[in-house]
Amino acid sequence: LEPGLPTNPHTGLCWYDKREKEWVWIDDEETEPDDLAAGRSLGGGMFAALVDTTSPVILKLNLRQDHKYWNRQPRVKFVLEDNLSGFDNDRSIDIRVDGVWLLPELDFESGEVVGTLRRPLDLGRHKLVIAVTDQAGNRTEQQVEFDVIKKSK
């Protein structure tokens, strides 16, 4: 990245992991001026400035559009995938039910995310919104509306 030239905000410094045969995003340093990419690596090897313009993908969401659930305190579970930059921490994941934030727990190895409601939901219609941003700034959002119903005897 040449100083003074305009940069793509989705560009980051990457290291090639020969064993895993994949690029690893290491652009994790705050730099001044903001047109520089910097990161730390514990080893040598091949480095490159790569562009990540692909949004993360939300898979295997356990709550479905227009489904009915008896559990008034369902856990929100899904799997995240990202093609390059990945996720720095779980602060890049925003899970809300009816506007109320849920603490996301991200397993970095599997990509599985779990969010737990702190209080039971009222009976009726509810809206789940999941928004995820990878380290390159690519964002994806998924919305699901579902109903909590009274369990029949």
Side-chain angles (χ1 to χ4, degrees):
L1 300 177
E2 192 171 323
L5 292 179
T7 59
N8 184 323
H10 300 282
T11 302
L13 185 61
C14 298
W15 167 73
Y16 189 72
D17 183 339
K18 288 182 185 178
R19 184 178 48 193
E20 298 293 326
K21 296 183 177 154
E22 65 182 19
W23 287 99
V24 178
W25 191 270
I26 61 171
D27 183 11
D28 59 0
E29 300 293 318
E30 294 295 323
T31 58
E32 281 294 327
D34 200 29
D35 61 352
L36 298 176
R40 297 180 196 270
S41 173
L42 298 176
M46 189 169 19
F47 295 86
L50 299 179
V51 177
D52 178 0
T53 57
T54 304
S55 295
V57 179
I58 299 168
L59 303 167
K60 301 180 182 177
L61 178 59
N62 67 325
L63 298 177
R64 306 270 187 241
Q65 180 68 32
D66 297 325
H67 277 226
K68 296 175 182 3
Y69 299 96
W70 295 319
N71 183 355
R72 293 185 56 205
Q73 207 164 355
R75 295 174 81 188
V76 177
K77 295 182 184 180
F78 56 93
V79 174
L80 282 179
E81 285 188 0
D82 191 70
N83 71 325
L84 181 59
S85 62
F87 309 97
D88 187 32
N89 55 51
D90 56 12
R91 286 180 284 174
S92 58
I93 304 165
D94 187 44
I95 307 170
R96 294 179 187 267
V97 174
D98 300 334
V100 177
W101 179 77
L102 280 65
L103 175 67
E105 297 175 38
L106 170 61
D107 180 329
F108 284 95
E109 291 293 315
S110 68
E112 184 173 278
V113 179
V114 177
T116 305
L117 289 158
R118 290 179 269 169
R119 293 186 181 93
L121 295 170
D122 292 332
L123 297 178
R125 191 81 162 163
H126 298 279
K127 184 176 184 177
L128 166 66
V129 179
I130 301 169
V132 182
T133 306
D134 67 15
Q135 290 188 83
N138 301 304
R139 186 174 188 276
T140 192
E141 183 176 297
Q142 187 167 343
Q143 297 184 23
V144 171
E145 291 188 5
F146 62 94
D147 295 294
V148 174
I149 62 171
K150 188 174 182 177
K151 188 172 183 177
S152 57
K153 295 181 181 182

